[in-house]
Amino acid sequence: MSPTNITMEDIRSAQDRIATFIHRTPILTSNTFNKLVGCELFFKCENFQKVGAFKYRGATNAVSQLGPGEAVNGVATHSSGNHAQALALAAAIKGIPAHIVMPRNAPLSKKEAVAGYGANVIECEPTLEARESTLNQVVKETGASFIHPYNDERIIAGQATCALEIMEKIHDLDVLIAPVGGGGLLSGTALTARYFSPKTRVFGAEPSGADDAFKSVKSGHIIPSVNPQTIADGLLTSLGDKTFPIIQRYVEQILTVDDEVTIKAMKLIWQRMKIIVEPSSAVALAVVMTYTEHFKNQRVAIILSGGNIDFDKIPFR
Amino acid sequence: MSPTNITMEDIRSAQDRIATFIHRTPILTSNTFNKLVGCELFFKCENFQKVGAFKYRGATNAVSQLGPGEAVNGVATHSSGNHAQALALAAAIKGIPAHIVMPRNAPLSKKEAVAGYGANVIECEPTLEARESTLNQVVKETGASFIHPYNDERIIAGQATCALEIMEKIHDLDVLIAPVGGGGLLSGTALTARYFSPKTRVFGAEPSGADDAFKSVKSGHIIPSVNPQTIADGLLTSLGDKTFPIIQRYVEQILTVDDEVTIKAMKLIWQRMKIIVEPSSAVALAVVMTYTEHFKNQRVAIILSGGNIDFDKIPFR
């Protein structure tokens, strides 16, 4: 039995559906990095995606699939991260309302960015309970469609298009590595590999201080993320019942790395590639730096998931 | 009378000569920036060039033109900046020695980078006199060819290839803006426009705290840079007798900007384009932000000259 309803055709359709809205991001290579880690690396630059992260793919795919009756009432979500901006922009482009519930203590810059896309920002107390109850309230009042940041098949199929772009450009790929938080990107990536390049092995990259996906796969059921401690603030959430079964079945292994290596990887990317990535992106390179033997002499693609960072929180000088 | 011996053919030959050694860097666009400044911008990303700066073009062109008798003794220069790394790598690729005189107080990271390319680093006191006398000594002892960072026709022709790549990709360009320090990039850019796209107007971008090029053009003779004060540490030097006449004749105007705007421009580029540029690069965007009326609704290319920065000196948070 398939671990998901998402088909090969769903991913192809998602790609067609979002093609005119998203950036087809570049894939960079670097001799310096290849020498450093002893394999051939391909960096898929979703930091150059609209709103600065891959999240715009899924949000656009979800918003594009709303029927006219649903669309008119807009969309809603709770998020303090990239999904908030992604959904806000996707809704703005479609010309429908977006209601974004954000914790009161979210950085002002993030609230302003979301409001800047014309979304309605609703503040709540910084607890999961408050976020969910506020969201429920908003949905009830507005009739907006809740778009979950990852546990939604439209979102997963949208994120899956990133790996599809890689497969179309880079052939004979041995390995594909994506960071894992809630698992939207990783499950989509694994599905794309399964359908379009079954010989490519997919790995999840996770901070050791937020290793709930690692533990979930090991134990065979979803283990929630409790009090995660990592600089990779995009990878704090727990897997969902739509992402976990795909990851469990099609991801070869979740590899965990210490923040220390992630910071080193992030600095290397900034210094040598001259591009800005957020810590969550660097986790995938940190995996290659930590488990070099796993990838020796292989062709390895890494998804650099995003580039949104508060400059007052740069973890190196 | 032409202000230079450098011909159209010299620039074309330089392009052929260095083609296999350099990166053909991408040209990025951004709707956000276009809206912000009211013109159509094209960013030529020399921050992605080898050694992280356009300087590698000129250095490679110069090194490639050495005869066998000269080449065997290697090259020498004094520089604490991007030219040092550029010449070191160009020499290493050609398999000849490089002797780089650097002031004792240059950042350790820069000395290590130059030494990392296999160059011989010679330290001296941090004065122009010491740098020149040490260099003369080195040249006398080794027979190495002195490659000036900008006041050299081979260097100018090499830097000119950057604008040529722009012209080949972007047609009907109204304006081309390059930062100006010693004038190697600006004079090369102006020559390329003159030869290959005479309708394109070329502007020099200069920090108001280091406005010797502005003053030189105004007064009609080279006014040396004395005690320059700017964050743009690549733009501190004076024009040379090979760069000044070209700039005087073919550059429409030198536009000066305050560091405050340069820092704002740099932060915008980091935040919105997700790429790392050094302050000297941001000066060109700062010009567009300062003199918006000059460029209204025009097609404007900006050369982002480099991306080498000490992360402990990021001028914003």
Side-chain angles (χ1 to χ4, degrees):
Chain A
M1 207 188 90
S2 173
T4 181
N5 297 318
I6 303 168
T7 64
M8 186 182 224
E9 199 39 56
D10 288 332
I11 298 174
R12 277 220 190 88
S13 303
Q15 191 181 38
D16 292 343
R17 195 177 290 125
I18 69 179
T20 57
F21 301 106
I22 65 154
H23 288 315
R24 220 180 151 85
T25 56
I27 296 171
L28 301 184
T29 59
S30 159
N31 289 333
T32 307
F33 281 88
N34 291 350
K35 270 185 222 154
L36 190 73
V37 294
C39 63
E40 196 178 355
L41 288 173
F42 302 90
F43 295 90
K44 175 67 169 170
C45 292
E46 287 295 297
N47 56 327
F48 293 150
Q49 189 52 264
K50 288 192 182 169
V51 313
F54 74 90
K55 295 272 184 181
Y56 190 60
R57 295 175 182 270
T60 301
N61 190 46
V63 165
S64 303
Q65 284 180 270
L66 295 173
E70 292 172 302
V72 69
N73 294 324
V75 288
T77 201
H78 61 84
S79 164
S80 59
N82 292 330
H83 178 62
Q85 290 186 56
L87 192 63
L89 180 59
I93 297 287
K94 200 179 161 80
I96 64 174
H99 308 279
I100 314 288
V101 175
M102 300 184 84
R104 209 177 294 286
N105 60 356
L108 186 62
S109 61
K110 300 231 167 180
K111 289 183 207 165
E112 286 178 346
V114 170
Y117 291 124
N120 175 27
V121 174
I122 303 110
E123 296 197 343
C124 70
E125 293 307 311
T127 66
L128 186 59
E129 289 72 25
R131 285 164 66 152
E132 288 179 344
S133 68
T134 309
L135 177 71
N136 288 340
Q137 184 74 16
V138 168
V139 166
K140 212 158 104 182
E141 284 170 12
T142 61
S145 301
F146 170 41
I147 309 286
H148 192 281
Y150 52 88
N151 204 41
D152 179 311
E153 288 168 353
R154 299 163 297 185
I155 294 288
I156 296 170
Q159 320 305 29
T161 63
C162 176
L164 189 52
E165 285 179 18
I166 300 173
M167 299 304 183
E168 286 169 354
K169 284 249 185 170
I170 316 293
H171 301 287
D172 300 320
L173 203 59
D174 298 305
V175 171
L176 192 45
I177 306 176
V180 55
L185 179 65
L186 181 58
S187 63
T189 301
L191 275 183
T192 294
R194 173 76 182 176
Y195 292 145
F196 298 92
S197 179
K199 282 186 185 157
T200 303
R201 294 178 301 145
V202 175
F203 291 85
E206 191 171 48
S208 49
D211 63 347
D212 58 291
F214 173 81
K215 285 180 185 152
S216 300
V217 167
K218 206 168 167 192
S219 69
H221 61 271
I222 298 173
I223 295 194
S225 180
V226 179
N227 194 21
Q229 299 295 335
T230 174
I231 192 177
D233 58 358
L235 307 180
L236 304 178
T237 43
S238 310
L239 297 177
D241 62 2
K242 295 203 171 24
T243 57
F244 174 62
I246 301 171
I247 289 169
Q248 194 178 22
R249 180 82 75 88
Y250 297 134
V251 170
E252 171 130 345
Q253 210 177 334
I254 307 285
L255 296 169
T256 60
V257 289
D258 293 341
D259 274 9
E260 199 186 323
V261 187
T262 296
I263 292 169
K264 208 172 144 193
M266 181 174 158
K267 188 172 182 180
L268 272 172
I269 293 171
W270 284 41
Q271 261 180 333
R272 299 305 185 100
M273 300 182 72
K274 311 297 180 193
I275 62 175
I276 299 214
V277 296
E278 56 193 58
S280 304
S281 294
V283 170
L285 177 61
V287 156
V288 180
M289 290 165 65
T290 303
Y291 303 89
T292 42
E293 286 309 314
H294 277 56
F295 307 111
K296 206 90 193 160
N297 297 325
Q298 305 209 14
R299 287 162 64 81
V300 178
I302 281 177
I303 299 179
L304 296 177
S305 49
N308 294 326
I309 186 159
D310 288 332
F311 290 128
D312 53 3
K313 288 189 188 152
I314 297 172
F316 49 79
R317 285 285 172 258
Chain B
M1 207 188 89
S2 174
T4 180
N5 298 317
I6 303 169
T7 64
M8 185 183 227
E9 199 40 54
D10 288 333
I11 298 174
R12 278 219 189 88
S13 303
Q15 191 180 39
D16 292 343
R17 195 177 291 123
I18 68 178
T20 57
F21 301 107
I22 65 154
H23 287 315
R24 223 183 149 84
T25 55
I27 296 171
L28 301 184
T29 60
S30 159
N31 289 334
T32 307
F33 281 87
N34 291 351
K35 269 185 223 156
L36 189 73
V37 295
C39 63
E40 195 177 355
L41 288 174
F42 301 91
F43 295 89
K44 176 67 169 170
C45 293
E46 288 295 296
N47 55 328
F48 293 150
Q49 189 51 265
K50 286 189 185 173
V51 313
F54 75 91
K55 294 271 182 181
Y56 190 62
R57 295 175 182 270
T60 301
N61 191 45
V63 165
S64 304
Q65 284 179 271
L66 294 173
E70 293 172 299
V72 70
N73 294 324
V75 288
T77 200
H78 62 82
S79 164
S80 59
N82 291 330
H83 178 61
Q85 291 187 54
L87 192 63
L89 179 60
I93 297 287
K94 201 179 161 80
I96 64 174
H99 308 279
I100 313 288
V101 175
M102 300 183 84
R104 208 177 295 285
N105 60 356
L108 185 63
S109 61
K110 300 231 168 180
K111 288 182 208 166
E112 285 178 345
V114 171
Y117 292 124
N120 176 28
V121 175
I122 303 111
E123 296 196 344
C124 71
E125 293 307 312
T127 65
L128 185 59
E129 290 72 23
R131 284 164 66 150
E132 288 178 344
S133 68
T134 309
L135 177 72
N136 288 339
Q137 184 72 15
V138 167
V139 165
K140 214 159 100 185
E141 284 170 12
T142 62
S145 300
F146 170 41
I147 309 286
H148 193 280
Y150 52 87
N151 204 41
D152 178 309
E153 288 167 354
R154 299 163 297 183
I155 295 287
I156 296 170
Q159 320 304 28
T161 63
C162 176
L164 189 51
E165 286 179 18
I166 299 173
M167 299 304 183
E168 287 170 354
K169 283 249 185 170
I170 316 292
H171 302 287
D172 300 321
L173 203 58
D174 298 304
V175 170
L176 192 44
I177 306 175
V180 57
L185 179 65
L186 181 59
S187 63
T189 301
L191 276 183
T192 294
R194 173 74 183 176
Y195 292 145
F196 299 92
S197 179
K199 284 186 184 158
T200 303
R201 296 177 300 146
V202 174
F203 291 84
E206 191 172 48
S208 49
D211 64 345
D212 57 290
F214 172 82
K215 285 179 187 152
S216 300
V217 168
K218 207 169 169 191
S219 70
H221 61 272
I222 297 173
I223 296 193
S225 179
V226 179
N227 194 23
Q229 298 296 336
T230 174
I231 192 177
D233 58 358
L235 308 180
L236 304 177
T237 43
S238 310
L239 297 177
D241 62 4
K242 295 205 170 20
T243 57
F244 174 62
I246 301 171
I247 290 169
Q248 194 178 22
R249 180 83 74 88
Y250 297 135
V251 170
E252 172 130 344
Q253 208 177 335
I254 308 283
L255 296 170
T256 60
V257 289
D258 293 341
D259 274 8
E260 198 187 326
V261 187
T262 296
I263 292 170
K264 205 172 145 192
M266 181 173 159
K267 187 172 182 180
L268 271 172
I269 293 171
W270 284 41
Q271 261 180 332
R272 298 306 184 101
M273 300 182 73
K274 311 296 180 193
I275 63 174
I276 302 220
V277 296
E278 58 193 58
S280 305
S281 294
V283 170
L285 176 62
V287 156
V288 180
M289 288 164 65
T290 303
Y291 303 89
T292 42
E293 287 308 316
H294 276 58
F295 307 111
K296 206 89 192 161
N297 297 326
Q298 304 208 14
R299 286 162 64 82
V300 179
I302 280 177
I303 300 180
L304 296 177
S305 50
N308 293 327
I309 186 157
D310 289 332
F311 289 129
D312 54 2
K313 287 187 189 152
I314 297 172
F316 50 77
R317 290 284 173 256

